[in-house]
Amino acid sequence: MRVAIAGAGAVGRSIAGELLENGHEVLLIDKAPTAISVERVPQAEWLLADACEITSLDEAALQRCNVVIAATGDDKVNLVVSLLAKTEYGVPRVVARVNNPKNEWLFNESWGVDVAVSTPRLMSALVEEAVSVGDLVRLLRFSHGDANLVELTLPEESALAGTQVGDVEWPQDTSLVTIIRGTRVLTPTRDDSLEAGDELLFVAAQAREEQLEDLLSVRREDTAS
């Protein structure tokens, strides 16, 4: 898979390193000469250019990329890169970094963004995820379909503890994708049982999040009354 990353700062280089380790082809683009540190990621291709300029993206052969990641520290730049990648070059997958959470509402399909990653929101979500039981935590937002990756740790008192996955009437537009149980990562089947303490990962429409949280957090004594 060929991936172009706009922004060769610490974030861009870190992403590039991970992708290269997984066997992908990576191009790093940055307009600042000081950011071109080939020795830090020698396996990557490097391009000194402005990723907001069509001529630069032509030189980068963006049409050959499977994924474009807009990872600069400037939200305006990330939006422009995302829009150009999607509309001018038809890149199938565009991932954009959100630096200021106040701008998160802009990072959607109208600007060519398939997945928006807000670093401040993600960090706060990971803190919540680590300390919250019974509360739904939004980890990641997908632009298409207005869906989110959300997590909930099933509390001891949940009425669903001990229930098989296939017996639960999940809300519409939600999908249980992973159960994390201790050190195990489970792909859920209808016959798997939910256990207290399970970390449940869902892809869910935002409009269904409250309903999903209510379902998972309902107490046993509430169902008996």
Side-chain angles (χ1 to χ4, degrees), residues 1-7 11-28 41 43-45 65-71 93 95:
M1 182 172 70
R2 181 173 174 80
V3 182
I5 302 174
V11 173
R13 293 196 306 270
S14 178
I15 296 169
E18 291 284 341
L19 291 171
L20 287 163
E21 285 185 10
N22 290 326
H24 301 296
E25 181 182 348
V26 176
L27 168 66
L28 280 160
V41 194
Q43 307 96 323
E45 298 176 45
C65 293
N66 307 100
V67 179
V68 165
I69 301 173
R93 191 74 164 169
V95 180

Side-chain angles (χ1 to χ4, degrees), residues 134-138 146 148-152 160 169-174 202-218:
D135 294 325
L136 202 70
V137 178
R138 187 181 300 167
D146 194 28
N148 299 311
L149 178 66
V150 298
E151 183 271 351
L152 184 140
L160 293 187
E169 292 188 18
W170 302 108
Q172 286 185 322
D173 304 320
T174 67
F202 294 85
V203 173
Q206 186 168 333
R208 301 294 182 181
E209 289 180 5
E210 184 176 352
Q211 185 179 354
L212 180 62
E213 182 175 26
D214 289 344
L215 173 67
L216 293 166
S217 300
V218 65

Side-chain angles (χ1 to χ4, degrees), residues 79 82-84 86-87 105-114 141 143-144:
L79 285 171
S82 299
L83 185 62
L84 291 175
K86 184 66 71 175
T87 59
W105 67 276
L106 288 166
F107 286 73
N108 55 39
E109 59 185 355
S110 298
W111 280 93
V113 178
D114 295 306
R141 181 174 64 83
S143 297
H144 292 306

Side-chain angles (χ1 to χ4, degrees), residues 1 29 44 51 53 61 81 83 99 112 116 119-120 127 131 135 160-161 193 198 214:
M1 182 172 70
I29 308 169
E53 297 288 342
V81 171
L83 185 62
N99 296 280
T119 304
V127 170
V131 301
D135 294 325
L160 293 187
S193 294
D198 283 350
D214 289 344

Side-chain angles (χ1 to χ4, degrees), residues 30-66:
D30 205 297
K31 68 177 181 180
T34 54
I36 305 300
S37 304
V38 178
E39 68 282 359
R40 294 191 178 185
V41 194
Q43 307 96 323
E45 298 176 45
W46 290 79
L47 179 62
L48 176 61
D50 187 345
C52 292
E53 297 288 342
I54 289 289
T55 53
S56 300
L57 300 181
D58 284 343
E59 187 178 353
L62 223 65
Q63 69 278 2
R64 296 199 295 113
C65 293
N66 307 100

